[in-house]
Structure formats: C-alpha cells, structure tokens
Amino acid sequence: MAYSEKVMEHFANPHNVGEIKDADGVGEVGNPKCGDIMRMYIKVENDTIVDVKFMTFGCGAAIATSSMATDLVKGKKIEDALKLTNKAVMEALDGLPAVKVHCSVLAEQAIKAAVSDYYRRRGIDPTPIVGELEDCEEESCACTL
Amino acid sequence: MAYSEKVMEHFANPHNVGEIKDADGVGEVGNPKCGDIMRMYIKVENDTIVDVKFMTFGCGAAIATSSMATDLVKGKKIEDALKLTNKAVMEALDGLPAVKVHCSVLAEQAIKAAVSDYYRRRGIDPTPIVGELEDCEEESCACTL
Amino acid sequence: MDQNGKRLVYADNAATTAVSPAVLDAMLPFYKELYGNPSSLYSVGNAAKKPLEEARAKVARCLGADTNEIYFTSGGSESDNWAIKGVAHKLKAQGKTHIITSKFEHHAVLHTCAALEKEGFTVTYLDVHENGIVVPEELEAAITDKTALVTIMYANNEIGTIQPIPEIGAICKKHGVLFHTDAVQAVGNVPIDVKAQNIDMLSLSGHKLHAPKGVGALYIRRGISIPNLIDGGAQERTRRAGTENVAGIVGLGVAMENAMATMEEKNAKLRRMQDKLIDGILKIDRSRLNGDRIKRLPGNASFCFEGIEGESLLLMLDLKGVCASSGSACTSGSLDPSHVLLAIGLKHEVAHGSLRLSFSDMNDESDIDYILEVLPPIVERLRSMSPLWDAIIHGRTV
Amino acid sequence: MDQNGKRLVYADNAATTAVSPAVLDAMLPFYKELYGNPSSLYSVGNAAKKPLEEARAKVARCLGADTNEIYFTSGGSESDNWAIKGVAHKLKAQGKTHIITSKFEHHAVLHTCAALEKEGFTVTYLDVHENGIVVPEELEAAITDKTALVTIMYANNEIGTIQPIPEIGAICKKHGVLFHTDAVQAVGNVPIDVKAQNIDMLSLSGHKLHAPKGVGALYIRRGISIPNLIDGGAQERTRRAGTENVAGIVGLGVAMENAMATMEEKNAKLRRMQDKLIDGILKIDRSRLNGDRIKRLPGNASFCFEGIEGESLLLMLDLKGVCASSGSACTSGSLDPSHVLLAIGLKHEVAHGSLRLSFSDMNDESDIDYILEVLPPIVERLRSMSPLWDAIIHGRTV
Ligand SMILES: Cc1ncc(COP(=O)(O)O)c(C=O)c1O
Ligand SMILES: Cc1ncc(COP(=O)(O)O)c(C=O)c1O
C-alpha cells in the first residue's frame, strides 16, 4: 500500500481544515469503530458553496480525500457540488490503494450530508435532491457503499 | 559427507593396488549391486603376510579403506593380521563419515576372506581361526555387518 | 541515523531489522565463490557444508539445544506452521485433537490454528488479560486428556510482553503435553534455555535479529517425530527438503552469536532508553502504555492515543523520518484494529490509535530524544483536526 | 574458470548455479539501506514493496502468466509441496483421491506423493521408458474420474530429458484435471508459456538460474484455490505467509529476466558444447548416454560407465578441478542408486557408475575440452583397479 505523491501532499498539508462556527450545513459520516469519521461544514450563498471546512478522524487517505473533496466543491454551485463522485476525488489524488477506496466514498458522502443538512435546515426534504445517504455499516469497516 | 585428508590421500594414491598372480590366498567381499566389491590377494611366508594387493570397485572410502587395510597387514603375522578391526582402519584414516563405516567393515572382512582362502587351500578349516564371515546382504546395501 | 541529511530514526525493529555489516560480510562469500551445493561431493560444494553445520551449532548453543535438534527453515511462519500442524497431524490418530494457545499469538500461529479447526481440531484461546500475559493456572485448567499441544509465544510482537515460559513448560511437562513456543520476538533479546525451560519446540526467525529475511529455524527436541511440512530431498536430516539457503543460514548463525554475546549490555541500554521513552510519552494527555510495564522486551513499547487514528500518526512520523508501526507489519493495509490490542481489552476506537516503537542495538538515546520531540506536536495536530476530540475531552462518549 | 592457478570447471549447474554478479548487485541494497519490511507503511518499508512487485511482474512475464498468479516461496521443494498437497487436500472432499505422476520425478514430488499415499491417496507412477520420456497416451489412459491432479516435471534433473508438456496440458484440459509441472530445471532454459501450454501450476527455484538459494515461486492459475501450506500474515495476497525474502525475490526477478533475454544465444552455445561432449564421451568403451539424445536440456548430459562406481569417479574428477555429480545432489550420501536411472531401465550395477555434467552460460567450450582430456584416463584408471572389469569385458555376468 503506497500513497501517491498527491495524497501525501494533501495529507501533510490538508486544505480547509477546521470548523465553521456559523455553518449553513454540517454533515458527518463514518464511525469511530471503523477508524474513520469525517465532518464537513459548508457556508452557502446564492446556491453556491462559498466556504467549506472539515474535521476528520482517520487514516491518511481519509484526511487527503477530505482535503481534496473540499477543494473540489469550494466555490461551486450546490448542484455541481452534488455531482462530485468518489471517482473524481480519487482521480484528482492520482489514485488510491484498493483498500482505501472507501475513504473517497466517505468524502463524497460527507459533502452530500452537509448539503442535506443545509436543505433540512431550510425545511426542504433533501432526499429527492441529494439522494439516499447510505451509512457505513458498523459491521464491516471496509464498507464499499 | 566430507572425507578426511588421510582418506583422500589413500584414495588419490592408493597403496598395494593390483593382483598377485601366484597368491596364496584370495578373498572377495561385497557385491556390485551395492556398489562395493573388494578382492584381496595375499602372499604368505612363515605365517607372515609378505605381500598383499587389492582390486576394488567402489566409492572413495572403499578404495581408501582397501589401501589402508592392506598397509596395516603387510609384513604382519597372520594371527596379528586377523586382529585388524574396522575400527583400526577407520582410526588410521582419521575417521569416516557415518554412511561409509560399512566400507571399513568390508576391508576387514576382505582380509579375513583372503586368510580363510589361504587356510582352505592348505586343507585347514578356517572357521575356528578366522571366525564366521558374514556376507553383505543383497537386500540392504548399507549393511552394518 | 542520518540519510541525505534528513534525520532517520528506524523504530520498527520488531517488524524487521537491518542486516548488520558483520552478518552481510559472513554471507557474501556464499553469493560469490562458495556457491556450491552443500550436499555435493566435490570441494566447491563441501566448502558450503561446514559453515552450514557451524551455523547450526551456533544456533543450538544460543538456545541450550543440541546441534541436531536445530532445523533450518524459511522463517518464523514456516517454523510455526511446521511445529503446530506437525504435532496436530501426528497426534490426531491418538485422539488428541485439542490445542491450547492464546488470544494474541502472531497470525502465523492463529491462522494455523484456524486451519486446524476447519479440519476438526478444537482450539482453546487463553485470555491474556489487561497486562498482556497468560496466567499459568488458567493454562493448566485448560488441559484435557485430548490436548495435543500447547503453543504460547515467548514474547508478543505488538506489545512486547514476555510470557511465563518456564512455568508453562513445567505445567506441560507435568501433564505430558507437548509445548511449542513462537520465540521469534524473544530470541536474541532474552536468555533462553530450552532444556531448563522444558520447551519441546521453538520457532525463530533471522530477520528479527539482524540476519536476513527468509531464513529461520525450528528447534525440535530429540525424540519428537512430526511429519514434514516440506517433503523431498534429504536435507536437514530428511526433515526439511530444499537446497539450503546457505548464505542466509550462515548469516543467522553469526547474528545469533552476536546477539548472545552482546545481550546483557544491549538490554541495559535498551531498558534505559525504554524507561525514558515511556515516561516521556505518558506525559501526553490520554495516552497509555499497552501491556505490562515490567515484563516486557527491553526494545518494544506500544502506546495508544485516544482520538487518534494510527495510520495518520505513522505517516506524520514518517514525514519526520521516524519509522514505526501500529502493530504487526503483516496486517498493515488491513482496516481492522489489532487483535492483540482487542485481546488486552481495548475498545475498537482506542485500538485504532496505536503506535509501536521498537528498537535494536543500532538505536541510541538520541533517537528517543528525537521521538519525544516530534511525537507530541503530531498527536496534538491530529487531535486538533479530529471531530471526536472535543467530545473525548469533555467526557462524552463517541 | 581458474582459481588459485588451479583449473576449476564447474559442471554441476543442475544442482545449483553461482549467483551472477548482476543478480548480486540487484540484491545488495536490500541487505543495506533498503532493509524495511515491505508490508510497512513508512518510506523505508515501502521502498522494498515496489521492487518486490516488479520482480513478480518479471517472473510472470517470463512464464506468460499474470502478475498476480505468481506467489513467491522458499524454493522448488516448497512450491512442489504446496501445489501437490494443496490440490490433494482441496479435492479430497469431492472424492478425488488419485494423483498421476511419473517414476522419475524429483524427490520433492515423489516424497510428497508418498506422504499423500499414507493419507489414503492413490498415486499412479507413469513409466518413463528407456528414453526418459512420459508417453502422453499412457498418461491419458491413467486418468480416472477420481483423478485430482497430474504432476509431471518439465525436464528431468538427473538426465535432462524434456517431457511433452503441451500434449500433457491439452490432455489434462480435455479431461478437466488439474496439471502441475515441476519446472525447476526448465525455467530459464526452455521457452515456457503457461497459458498456451495449459499449465495450471508451475514450480520454479531461483538457484538453478543464477539467483540465490532459498527463493522460488509457484504459479497458480487464477481461479484455482488451494489451502495454504504456510498460514499466517497477509503476505503474498494472504496465500503464503512470512516476511518476504526481498533480496532473494529481487534477485530471482533479475535472474529470470536475464535468462529470458539470453536464452536463444545461450542455448545455441550449450547445444554445440553438448554435442561435442556427448560425442567425445561416447568414445569411451562401454559408456552410454542416459535419456533421449535430442529431447533434452541443452546444458545437461548424464552418462554411465560400466565397471565404475560413481562416487570415486566424482572424487577423481574433483581432484582434477571438475565439479560434477552422479545425479541429484539431494541424495548424495545415499548408497542406493538413483531412482531416475532405475526408472529408465538401468541395472543397479550400471546405475552406480553414473556421471551428470551440467552447464550454464558461465561455461564455455574450453570446459568441454578439459573434461574430455581428464575424464578418459580416470575411467581407465578406476577400471584397472576394479575386480569386475575383467569379467565385464569378457562378457561374463558380474
Ligand atoms: C526438478 C527439481 N525439482 C525440485 C527441486 C528442489 O528445488 P529446491 O532445492 O530449490 O527446493 C530441484 C532441485 O533441487 C529439482 O531439480
Ligand atoms: C511473534 C512472531 N511470530 C512469527 C513471525 C513470522 O516470522 P516470519 O516473518 O519470519 O515468517 C513474526 C514476525 O513476522 C513474529 O513477530
């Protein structure tokens, strides 16, 4: 298992780390038993994600995918942010080891969870827009979602 | 399996190789299936082995023990020659690998076989003097006699 | 240790060690002029036979065994498999289908036991309690008239705790049960005497003590006959086939001899370093030492940090030139927390935050100083990124 | 080759080969700075992982296999044991308890089969006839609906004959029976394509082709699942536990690549040398070449000399600086004549007088000239000492 240089770059100096106190949406995915938790904060103006930050407990890939995913949605329209796939995150990182693919899925899901929260706070049912968020199973930590 | 220098010396330049055409006694032990045959010729004067020669088909130890055994009995009284043991042959050769001990036994037996033949030619039953000669079994080549 | 001007601290000697220059020097002739097959008759081959047997004598001496009780193998895993499967298959015919081991053995033992369970054997996995040590009385209580084998590791690879081997040996002897110990982590680090300690079989591996990877040995007490794991040629007195890894075996002999000669001095130094390391690390908030503080290998210390995930900790340390591991090297890449840490009672989420630092005589105190300098800020940084930390320090369950 | 001014001709390459300088160069870094455990996370370990996987790719390429069909082992014997015991134990549950092999396999195969016979398997040992070659029709006739495995060596180690592997592969495929080949002597010497030749499993060993002793590989076609021989850590995609012998594996990769790149040229040279050697030796009275003259490895020729015992012949040759063997190195020290020579129909007394001369690309024609110079007088001298020779030349049975 070797990480790409890009992954190590984002791991060593992750972008967008931290909290947004007055966030418009907060999403959290993963669970500590599995060793990965991502929490993402978004600030939205005119349907645009003007700011995004994350807090992550997890492996190198978890931190790097959090960093990359936040980079990729920052400044994007929500509808475009929702098009972010784990594949895109992986590609932007020049790939991930097979056992770490689930981290990119978590990152995708964390963004979606934050957007869902944003809609929910505004009284809008997120499901038709964001889709069902499958939660990582407690049982199998190597969830493939 | 490594031979001592002494064994290699006697193997490389064996003493007493050859036939004695007018031998007073000839003894042969071993069998070709087992890969070892020793034939010894003795010339006897006044109960003394005045000459001894051997022909051997066999491994390095077979040749070296033949050489050493003939050296050890040459010039000896028959009664002393009959005291030659395989142990003495081995010791004189600075030892033999365990799997090759039977060669020293063959050499001892070959001398005895030649002496027996000497007595037999003179009409004397060798058994009370030389003892029973146990023959190497066809079945087990690693005979321990 | 410095490399390219960058400080490098290799603190993963329980995973593998560097081949020492003395060992390499001893090996090189066998990769050059002494390439002959030790089973050959001619001089080039024979020249390899003697060093092979000398290495066997050295290994035997270091264990208090006889020379012809030592069989060379390809490493610790093969030795473990051979010993355990061998005894199991041998004694099955006598209705002995029970094996006793512990919960925190190396996978070479645990997975071998699991394979035997599939064949119908039953296995008792003894508790190792919070201090990471098997209780001899519990072991004795587990023995039945069906017990074929007790296999308990000498020292644990992940947390370094040393097991009560002489006591276990005595119990096994008393009950007439064979006793195997995986001493891969112990050999060269603690004094071993297989006779005095009533050990029937013992596995060791070269690369844990500055010999190369891919060579090891199994001690089998004279009189114990088990089926071969690897059948074939007449090598190793017909009990382990395969052209001998002469260079590796010679290296193992030299490494064992060196380890024995320097053990006392080395251990005194490693103990001092370990004390400093443990005291220093335990100053970090919500950190813990895994396993007994005293009954441990002098070169091995394992910690857990709440709110930290082990892999990112290791990667951060690597960026600072510190090579460490979270536990067993064989399972990295796996996402499950260590079975060893779970066996000593840690929760999953805590077990994820483990760090094993293991040292050899090639380390020195400045390595400890360096680790104590770089580790606390890394822990702090990761915790500051963690969505759990806040909850942890405020005592909320996560 | 000269050493200390004394001429040395190493003509026992079928027993083992010298590590080539290129292989040793490739290995050394892993005994020095790149000592890390390839399963580790940090950079020192990771630096060992890539070369390991590159070596796997090289080995795969040389066999026409996929990279992840190659599993590294400790040598040919382990590979043979794993393949044969693995298939046997796997298919036993389906009532497949029959194995087909030949009479003149290496002991790593024969003794493994014997071990399985003790467990209740039945084994058919195919005749190899006077030319030392299995007849495919006889093999096909031996297949029953209980047949689990066919294991036939690619080329014989003692007499060098090459078996009809593609034909056997096709037959096994037709009948849905797994096919393993011990290709320890063939790899690097003949072109192999496991897919085209329908080989399901293939054993190879490094030290037969200028890599070190103690490393080998087993090719297992994708989709074939057999139990592990060595259980434990997650190395080799969980199928062969044990910290990887990185240096040896890297050496094996380089050696395989070199062997493939130079095979054609090398074989042309070895064929020329072999022709000269055979023609020269057969001029000796009552000598014979063992096995087919054409279907043989270019570097291996085995002879028998009536009235001669093999060991003394070898020792005399050794005194002249020629390293040779009577057959398999694994059995020297044994007093029984070679099972291979008996299998091709030789009588015990003739089989005792065998001589195997085997060459690699490190030999050249001057070695042949030297052997042809020293061998005839040695044969003559030994015969002149032999109490049998007279009877032999006069046609009396001995
Ligand atoms: C045909 C054959 N199979 C298997 C082996 C065993 O290989 P290793 O000695 O590497 O275990 C050898 C050589 O020793 C061989 O020639
Ligand atoms: C306790 C223990 N047993 C067995 C092994 C396996 O040894 P090897 O990797 O040499 O097969 C190891 C290390 O890898 C170990 O630490």
Side-chain angles (χ1 to χ4, degrees):
Chain A
M1 207 198 58
Y3 287 131
S4 69
E5 272 179 42
K6 202 90 193 183
V7 170
M8 284 309 294
E9 233 174 81
H10 276 263
F11 169 74
N13 297 297
H15 307 170
N16 316 308
V17 177
E19 283 182 78
I20 301 177
K21 295 274 179 210
D22 58 345
D24 298 315
V26 182
E28 186 172 302
V29 293
N31 76 60
K33 208 176 155 195
C34 292
D36 287 307
I37 291 197
M38 292 181 192
R39 188 188 297 159
M40 298 228 178
Y41 304 82
I42 52 173
K43 193 88 198 137
V44 180
E45 280 171 26
N46 299 329
D47 288 338
T48 300
I49 298 179
V50 293
D51 198 10
V52 53
K53 290 211 181 293
F54 78 89
M55 299 276 278
T56 289
F57 161 84
C59 64
I63 292 173
T65 52
S66 302
S67 169
M68 181 54 85
T70 50
D71 264 7
L72 289 173
V73 298
K74 196 165 174 174
K76 288 260 168 71
K77 287 269 175 209
I78 285 189
E79 58 177 322
D80 292 328
L82 286 176
K83 288 186 193 137
L84 179 76
T85 62
N86 77 304
K87 281 230 178 74
V89 175
M90 281 206 287
E91 270 161 30
L93 287 168
D94 297 340
L96 280 179
V99 288
K100 296 298 187 181
V101 172
H102 74 285
C103 293
S104 66
V105 176
L106 274 186
E108 177 199 317
Q109 299 283 322
I111 299 284
K112 291 192 171 143
V115 171
S116 294
D117 184 52
Y118 164 73
Y119 282 123
R120 237 181 269 110
R121 289 188 192 194
R122 302 183 64 202
I124 300 169
D125 175 14
T127 317
I129 308 165
V130 181
E132 204 72 66
L133 282 185
E134 303 162 56
D135 219 27
C136 189
E137 306 270 324
E138 278 261 351
E139 275 60 57
S140 95
C141 287
C143 50
T144 45
L145 278 180
Chain B
M1 206 198 58
Y3 287 132
S4 68
E5 271 180 41
K6 202 91 191 180
V7 170
M8 284 309 294
E9 232 174 83
H10 276 264
F11 168 73
N13 297 296
H15 307 169
N16 315 308
V17 176
E19 284 180 78
I20 301 178
K21 293 277 179 209
D22 59 345
D24 298 316
V26 181
E28 187 173 302
V29 294
N31 76 61
K33 209 177 154 195
C34 291
D36 286 309
I37 291 197
M38 292 182 192
R39 188 188 296 160
M40 299 230 179
Y41 303 82
I42 52 172
K43 193 85 198 143
V44 181
E45 280 171 27
N46 299 328
D47 287 338
T48 300
I49 298 178
V50 293
D51 198 9
V52 54
K53 288 209 182 296
F54 78 89
M55 300 276 278
T56 289
F57 162 84
C59 64
I63 291 173
T65 54
S66 303
S67 169
M68 181 54 84
T70 51
D71 263 9
L72 289 174
V73 298
K74 196 165 173 176
K76 288 260 169 71
K77 289 269 174 208
I78 285 189
E79 59 178 322
D80 292 327
L82 287 176
K83 289 185 193 137
L84 179 76
T85 61
N86 76 306
K87 280 229 177 75
V89 175
M90 282 205 288
E91 270 161 29
L93 287 169
D94 297 339
L96 281 178
V99 288
K100 296 299 187 180
V101 171
H102 74 285
C103 293
S104 66
V105 176
L106 273 187
E108 177 199 317
Q109 299 282 322
I111 300 284
K112 290 189 172 145
V115 170
S116 295
D117 185 51
Y118 164 74
Y119 283 123
R120 239 182 268 111
R121 289 189 193 193
R122 304 182 64 203
I124 302 168
D125 175 14
T127 318
I129 309 165
V130 181
E132 204 73 66
L133 283 184
E134 301 162 58
D135 218 29
C136 188
E137 305 270 325
E138 278 261 351
E139 275 60 58
S140 94
C141 287
C143 51
T144 44
L145 277 182
Chain C
M1 255 183 277
D2 284 23
Q3 206 190 33
N4 315 332
K6 193 184 143 197
R7 174 145 195 140
L8 183 75
V9 173
Y10 184 73
D12 200 16
N13 289 278
T16 198
T17 58
V19 171
S20 73
V23 166
L24 182 55
D25 279 352
M27 291 170 62
L28 281 179
F30 301 93
Y31 290 141
K32 294 178 176 169
E33 61 281 7
L34 299 179
Y35 56 84
N37 191 316
S39 303
S40 302
L41 265 183
Y42 44 76
S43 23
V44 180
N46 247 309
K49 180 76 179 166
K50 220 178 128 206
L52 186 74
E53 294 311 318
E54 281 167 5
R56 196 186 309 280
K58 283 179 193 168
V59 172
R61 235 176 356 251
C62 296
L63 301 174
D66 288 344
T67 302
N68 54 17
E69 295 177 318
I70 302 298
Y71 301 88
F72 291 113
T73 67
S74 68
S77 300
E78 182 189 329
S79 297
D80 285 341
N81 275 260
W82 183 14
I84 299 170
K85 292 179 182 172
V87 170
H89 292 143
K90 175 80 179 186
L91 297 185
K92 193 181 178 177
Q94 300 169 28
K96 304 249 184 207
T97 53
H98 176 231
I99 293 166
I100 299 173
T101 186
S102 82
K103 282 188 180 155
F104 79 163
E105 298 294 310
H106 189 269
H107 281 145
V109 170
L110 288 182
H111 289 171
T112 296
C113 288
L116 289 171
E117 284 181 306
K118 279 204 198 152
E119 292 180 28
F121 290 86
T122 53
V123 181
T124 299
Y125 297 91
L126 294 174
D127 213 337
V128 292
H129 307 278
E130 206 204 322
N131 63 350
I133 297 177
V134 163
V135 175
E137 291 71 29
E138 294 178 4
L139 186 144
E140 184 159 20
I143 294 177
T144 74
D145 55 4
K146 283 193 173 336
T147 306
L149 179 73
V150 167
T151 173
I152 299 289
M153 70 200 317
Y154 208 115
N156 183 270
N157 49 309
E158 286 193 39
I159 62 173
T161 48
I162 297 173
Q163 305 305 308
I165 296 300
E167 289 82 348
I168 297 174
I171 290 170
C172 291
K173 192 179 175 190
K174 179 174 141 199
H175 292 272
V177 171
L178 288 173
F179 174 37
H180 165 255
T181 184
D182 173 345
V184 168
Q185 291 289 334
V187 166
N189 296 320
V190 297
I192 296 181
D193 184 327
V194 291
K195 305 289 165 192
Q197 299 173 332
N198 288 309
I199 297 168
D200 294 312
M201 284 177 286
L202 178 147
S203 304
L204 63 90
S205 180
H207 71 100
K208 307 288 184 179
L209 60 154
H210 304 303
K213 300 170 183 50
V215 64
L218 180 64
Y219 150 79
I220 308 179
R221 189 166 55 67
R222 196 199 321 282
I224 297 178
S225 116
I226 55 173
N228 294 347
L229 188 69
I230 300 181
D231 286 300
Q235 294 92 353
E236 299 296 308
R237 298 190 303 294
T238 74
R239 296 179 75 170
R240 200 287 189 183
T243 302
E244 301 90 337
N245 175 357
V246 185
I249 289 169
V250 167
L252 176 59
V254 172
M256 294 270 299
E257 205 169 44
N258 286 351
M260 294 305 288
T262 59
M263 192 187 291
E264 218 165 311
E265 196 186 340
K266 179 190 78 172
N267 282 355
K269 175 179 134 185
L270 287 177
R271 283 268 176 231
R272 271 196 310 277
M273 286 163 53
Q274 188 177 64
D275 281 336
K276 185 170 189 176
L277 181 78
I278 294 176
D279 291 340
I281 287 186
L282 291 184
K283 287 196 187 114
I284 296 175
D285 193 20
R286 291 176 197 257
S287 62
R288 53 167 282 155
L289 174 70
N290 297 316
D292 199 276
R293 165 118 198 196
I294 306 300
K295 293 178 185 150
R296 62 168 49 256
L297 294 171
N300 185 322
S302 159
F303 303 89
C304 279
F305 303 95
E306 282 182 53
I308 294 278
E309 193 278 338
E311 187 200 287
S312 41
L313 182 58
L314 294 183
L315 289 172
M316 290 272 176
L317 282 169
D318 187 31
L319 291 172
K320 292 285 180 191
V322 177
C323 304
S325 79
S326 54
S328 160
C330 316
T331 47
S332 54
S334 139
L335 300 164
D336 298 321
S338 144
H339 70 282
V340 172
L341 300 179
L342 298 180
I344 60 167
L346 300 195
K347 286 199 238 156
H348 270 69
E349 42 274 40
V350 176
H352 274 299
S354 64
L355 173 69
R356 176 183 70 183
L357 295 163
S358 52
F359 303 91
S360 81
D361 45 358
M362 291 185 183
N363 295 99
D364 62 30
E365 207 169 316
S366 75
D367 293 337
I368 305 295
D369 294 335
Y370 183 69
I371 291 171
L372 290 178
E373 180 189 320
V374 300
L375 180 63
I378 290 175
V379 171
E380 197 180 309
R381 175 148 182 239
L382 287 171
R383 282 175 171 169
S384 78
M385 273 196 221
S386 168
L388 304 176
W389 184 236
D390 209 51
I392 291 171
I393 52 176
H394 292 100
R396 274 174 278 141
T397 53
V398 290
Chain D
M1 253 184 277
D2 285 22
Q3 206 189 34
N4 314 330
K6 193 186 144 196
R7 174 144 194 136
L8 183 75
V9 172
Y10 184 73
D12 200 16
N13 290 277
T16 197
T17 59
V19 172
S20 74
V23 167
L24 182 55
D25 280 353
M27 291 169 62
L28 281 179
F30 301 93
Y31 290 142
K32 294 178 176 168
E33 61 281 9
L34 299 179
Y35 56 83
N37 191 316
S39 303
S40 302
L41 265 182
Y42 43 77
S43 23
V44 180
N46 247 311
K49 181 75 179 168
K50 219 177 129 207
L52 186 75
E53 294 311 318
E54 281 168 4
R56 197 186 308 281
K58 282 177 193 170
V59 172
R61 236 178 351 254
C62 296
L63 301 174
D66 288 344
T67 302
N68 54 15
E69 294 177 318
I70 303 298
Y71 300 87
F72 292 114
T73 68
S74 67
S77 300
E78 183 190 329
S79 297
D80 285 341
N81 274 261
W82 183 15
I84 298 170
K85 292 178 181 169
V87 170
H89 292 144
K90 175 80 181 185
L91 297 185
K92 193 180 176 177
Q94 300 169 29
K96 304 248 183 207
T97 53
H98 176 229
I99 293 167
I100 298 173
T101 186
S102 83
K103 283 188 180 157
F104 79 163
E105 297 294 310
H106 189 270
H107 282 145
V109 170
L110 287 182
H111 289 171
T112 296
C113 288
L116 290 171
E117 283 181 305
K118 278 203 198 152
E119 291 181 28
F121 289 86
T122 54
V123 180
T124 300
Y125 297 92
L126 294 175
D127 213 337
V128 292
H129 308 278
E130 206 205 320
N131 64 350
I133 297 178
V134 163
V135 175
E137 291 72 27
E138 295 177 4
L139 186 144
E140 184 158 22
I143 293 177
T144 73
D145 55 4
K146 283 191 171 341
T147 306
L149 178 72
V150 167
T151 172
I152 300 288
M153 68 200 317
Y154 208 116
N156 183 271
N157 48 309
E158 286 193 40
I159 62 171
T161 48
I162 296 173
Q163 306 306 308
I165 296 301
E167 289 82 347
I168 297 174
I171 290 170
C172 292
K173 191 179 177 190
K174 178 173 143 200
H175 292 272
V177 171
L178 287 174
F179 174 37
H180 165 254
T181 185
D182 172 345
V184 167
Q185 291 289 334
V187 166
N189 296 318
V190 296
I192 296 181
D193 184 328
V194 291
K195 304 288 165 191
Q197 299 173 332
N198 287 310
I199 297 168
D200 294 313
M201 284 177 286
L202 178 147
S203 303
L204 63 91
S205 180
H207 70 100
K208 307 286 185 181
L209 61 153
H210 304 303
K213 301 168 182 52
V215 64
L218 181 64
Y219 151 79
I220 308 178
R221 188 167 53 69
R222 195 197 322 278
I224 297 178
S225 116
I226 56 174
N228 295 347
L229 187 69
I230 301 180
D231 286 300
Q235 295 91 353
E236 299 294 309
R237 298 189 304 295
T238 74
R239 295 179 75 169
R240 200 288 189 182
T243 303
E244 302 90 338
N245 175 357
V246 185
I249 289 169
V250 167
L252 176 58
V254 172
M256 294 267 303
E257 206 169 42
N258 287 351
M260 294 305 288
T262 59
M263 191 187 292
E264 218 166 311
E265 196 186 339
K266 178 189 77 171
N267 283 355
K269 174 180 135 184
L270 286 178
R271 284 267 177 230
R272 271 197 309 278
M273 286 163 54
Q274 188 177 65
D275 281 336
K276 185 170 189 178
L277 180 79
I278 295 177
D279 291 339
I281 287 187
L282 291 185
K283 287 197 187 113
I284 296 176
D285 193 19
R286 291 175 196 258
S287 63
R288 53 165 283 154
L289 173 72
N290 297 316
D292 199 276
R293 164 118 197 197
I294 307 300
K295 292 179 186 150
R296 62 167 49 257
L297 295 171
N300 185 322
S302 159
F303 303 91
C304 279
F305 303 95
E306 282 183 52
I308 296 277
E309 193 279 337
E311 187 200 287
S312 40
L313 182 58
L314 294 183
L315 289 172
M316 291 271 176
L317 282 170
D318 188 30
L319 291 172
K320 292 284 179 192
V322 177
C323 305
S325 80
S326 54
S328 159
C330 316
T331 49
S332 55
S334 140
L335 300 164
D336 298 321
S338 143
H339 70 283
V340 172
L341 299 179
L342 298 179
I344 60 167
L346 299 194
K347 285 199 237 156
H348 270 69
E349 43 273 41
V350 176
H352 273 301
S354 64
L355 172 68
R356 177 182 70 183
L357 295 163
S358 53
F359 303 91
S360 82
D361 45 358
M362 291 187 183
N363 295 100
D364 62 30
E365 207 167 317
S366 76
D367 293 337
I368 306 295
D369 293 336
Y370 183 69
I371 291 172
L372 290 178
E373 181 189 320
V374 300
L375 179 64
I378 290 176
V379 171
E380 196 179 309
R381 176 150 181 237
L382 288 171
R383 282 175 172 172
S384 78
M385 272 196 222
S386 168
L388 304 176
W389 184 237
D390 208 52
I392 292 172
I393 52 176
H394 292 99
R396 276 175 275 140
T397 54
V398 290

